[in-house]
Amino acid sequence: MNGCVRQCMRITGGVPLFGTVRASGSKNAALPIMAATILADGPVTLSRVPNLTDIDTLALLLGHLGLETKRDAAGRLRIATVDRGPTLANHELVGRMRASFCVLGPLLARRGRAIVSLPGGCAIGCRPVDLHLKGLAALGAEICIERGYIIARAERLRGARISLAGPHGPTVTGTANVMAAAALARGHTTITAAAREPEIVDLGRFLNALGAKIEGLGTSTIDVTGVEQLGGADYQVIPDRIETATLLIAAAMTRGSIQVTGVVPSHLTTVLRTLDAAGATLEVAPDRISLAMPENPRAFKAMARPYPRIPTDVQAQLMSLASLARGRSRLADHIFPERFQHVAELIRLGAVIERRGDRATVTGVDSLTGTEVTSSDLRACAALVLAGLAARGTTVVRGIDHLDRGYEQLDAKLNKLGARIERMTDNESAPCERRRPLACHSPVAA
Ligand code: EPZ
């Protein structure tokens, strides 16, 4: 954010994207891994940690918790504990970035005590943490909630059998909190209905690099044999599968042809299957994915569910693609049924979308028309940028501080592929309507 003046993006649409771009490291892998460094009794060096405001926020919180974090000349993040005293994660930081809640399990396991603000809800729905607390209590933690803070204590956690099944499937960061805590618990822990996301596999592999004994990563049952101490490690974070999907959908929407390198295609199987169904031509190699979309996409179905199904973090971007698909596409979000704040803004760009509960039907149109839109959350913002790339004329996307939380220089990457995106402070972006009288193409019946 540029001081108190919010930034926005002005996008000149209709330009097909061509070229090659490299994916950044995964935000949702890096954040729980950074939180887990609280467990390490030695220095940790993390490579491929993206430069994002969410990463900066967590580094700030780790600083408050006695961990020094700094980037070296090669961009690697070096983290070392200098003080094990602090155990408070305050509301200002946890409220700013929900994933800060991932410090709870590591603090409890390594320091025996944690005072962490409840993270609160956000634009994609209420975000309970009951499963996190259930899992940590099963490991022997005494937990109470006072004035919006979780206060947790445990002399030494002890292994247990824990189910993390929730009403909408497993919990990703809940699995992170419990798995990280179990790494230092006495005895054996079995976590059933565990999250299978690649980001959780990456966290487990990082913990094992520190000396933990974790098996079953990537399955619904994770087995942890607690150890007495964890050392340091050098570790590279996996590529960001959500960013990769976002870039591929941008190319599909603009009927371009791009290659994304430095990726793990197997992390995106269901997304690639959906893009194929929409008519994209895909080429997959061990560390890269190429996509070409010679003509307007075909209608498709996309139901967001836990991994390995369609990620909820790609639902909004797929809805943008569906708005240009020939026919009626059907989307749903079974993880966050309220994650549809992007619908009203896409409709302002000319999309035809009917939402009912956790489902939406999108009737494709020949083209979208640029105007001003405002984003509410990270992935909704990405969806609106993609729609602006495809729309006729100019689109101004407001609230792009959301974007900078989770995408490393997305506008620069898209411009490298031929997009025409300018960053501006909000008061510079004269509203599109004021440039020309609105022609009323579809008069509303009196
Ligand atoms: C993680 O959030 C991701 N964030 C989210 O990405 C992602 O959308 C989400 O997982 C789902 O895949 C990070 O990894 C930092 P959950 P998380 O706990 O862990 C319910 C992005 O855009 N639930 O897996 O907070 C919950 O309400 C972000 O990068 C409970 O009922 O999500 C939801 O319906 C957005 N009780 C479902 O489970 C709990 O204790 C999945 O939530 C916890 C969750």
Side-chain angles (χ1 to χ4, degrees):
M1 215 140 78
N2 192 352
C4 64
V5 179
R6 288 173 71 94
Q7 285 201 330
C8 61
M9 279 180 187
R10 183 163 58 198
I11 304 168
T12 305
V15 181
L17 301 184
F18 289 101
T20 298
V21 64
R22 180 175 170 75
S24 295
S26 165
K27 165 181 86 81
N28 289 350
L31 291 170
I33 285 172
M34 285 171 67
T37 60
I38 292 169
L39 297 165
D41 281 353
V44 171
T45 300
L46 299 175
S47 44
R48 211 169 175 183
V49 175
N51 260 311
L52 304 170
T53 48
D54 274 7
I55 298 292
D56 297 344
T57 301
L58 186 54
L60 189 59
L61 172 58
L62 292 178
H64 290 187
L65 293 170
L67 287 91
E68 229 170 43
T69 61
K70 53 179 179 286
R71 287 227 187 235
D72 65 17
R76 291 171 304 196
L77 206 55
R78 294 181 180 274
I79 303 177
T81 297
V82 294
D83 177 2
R84 293 202 186 285
T87 56
L88 167 66
N90 70 34
H91 175 63
E92 199 275 322
L93 288 174
V94 177
R96 201 192 304 180
M97 203 266 294
R98 175 186 171 76
S100 308
F101 199 68
C102 286
V103 303
L104 176 60
L107 279 176
L108 194 54
R110 183 64 188 81
R111 301 185 187 178
R113 177 180 160 78
I115 303 172
V116 180
S117 168
L118 279 166
C122 65
I124 64 177
C126 76
R127 309 283 295 272
V129 291
D130 58 303
L131 296 171
H132 298 239
L133 304 184
K134 171 191 165 190
L136 295 173
L139 291 173
E142 291 167 29
I143 297 174
C144 67
I145 296 177
E146 274 177 38
R147 303 203 338 251
Y149 278 81
I150 307 280
I151 299 170
R153 290 186 185 81
E155 272 309 303
R156 173 78 192 273
L157 295 173
R158 61 175 190 283
R161 185 175 178 82
I162 303 162
S163 166
L164 289 181
H168 298 280
T171 162
V172 173
T173 50
T175 302
N177 254 328
V178 174
M179 179 169 69
L184 283 182
R186 180 180 293 116
H188 189 88
T189 298
T190 297
I191 306 170
T192 60
R196 299 172 54 194
E197 274 69 3
E199 295 77 19
I200 292 299
V201 174
D202 211 26
L203 171 63
R205 285 184 180 152
F206 168 68
L207 291 168
N208 283 342
L210 296 179
K213 293 180 180 164
I214 301 173
E215 296 176 321
L217 292 169
T219 76
S220 300
T221 301
I222 294 176
D223 285 297
V224 185
T225 304
V227 295
E228 292 301 314
Q229 189 178 30
L230 291 171
D234 289 5
Y235 192 80
Q236 173 162 301
V237 168
I238 56 171
D240 195 314
R241 63 190 171 108
I242 307 301
E243 181 202 39
T244 303
T246 304
L247 292 165
L248 293 171
I249 296 169
M253 288 189 70
T254 58
R255 294 169 54 179
S257 174
I258 72 166
Q259 181 181 83
V260 186
T261 61
V263 301
V264 178
S266 63
H267 290 168
L268 284 159
T269 306
T270 46
V271 173
L272 298 181
R273 202 176 295 145
T274 301
L275 293 174
D276 176 67
T281 304
L282 291 158
E283 274 181 49
V284 177
D287 71 342
R288 60 197 59 212
I289 301 168
S290 300
L291 176 143
M293 180 68 92
E295 51 189 50
N296 263 353
R298 294 193 293 266
F300 56 88
K301 276 177 72 175
M303 306 291 153
R305 292 184 190 283
Y307 190 84
R309 309 287 291 274
I310 293 284
T312 172
D313 296 346
V314 181
Q315 180 259 110
Q317 299 91 310
L318 286 171
M319 189 174 288
S320 287
L321 177 63
S323 64
L324 290 173
R326 297 189 309 276
R328 290 161 73 90
S329 299
R330 286 177 173 66
L331 291 91
D333 198 318
H334 297 298
I335 294 184
F336 292 116
E338 295 305 314
R339 195 174 196 172
F340 290 101
Q341 308 255 341
H342 43 285
V343 168
E345 297 303 300
L346 288 172
I347 289 172
R348 297 193 67 244
L349 288 162
V352 177
I353 304 170
E354 191 184 341
R355 182 207 161 177
R356 289 183 189 284
D358 66 356
R359 297 168 185 277
T361 302
V362 185
T363 305
V365 294
D366 291 339
S367 64
L368 299 172
T369 305
T371 187
E372 299 172 326
V373 288
T374 302
S375 67
S376 53
D377 72 275
L378 168 57
R379 307 305 175 181
C381 194
L384 295 173
V385 170
L386 267 52
L389 292 174
R392 286 181 313 173
T394 304
T395 298
V396 174
V397 182
R398 293 198 157 80
I400 60 162
D401 42 315
H402 291 295
L403 206 63
D404 293 337
R405 291 189 47 188
Y407 286 95
E408 189 174 47
Q409 299 183 342
L410 183 63
D411 45 337
K413 285 176 178 156
L414 292 169
N415 283 341
K416 179 172 176 270
L417 296 170
R420 291 162 59 187
I421 303 173
E422 297 166 73
R423 265 181 193 259
M424 299 174 301
T425 52
D426 212 341
N427 52 16
E428 279 178 300
S429 58
C432 308
E433 288 87 342
R434 282 214 285 269
R435 293 215 182 92
R436 62 180 185 280
L438 277 180
C440 190
H441 298 295
S442 49
V444 177

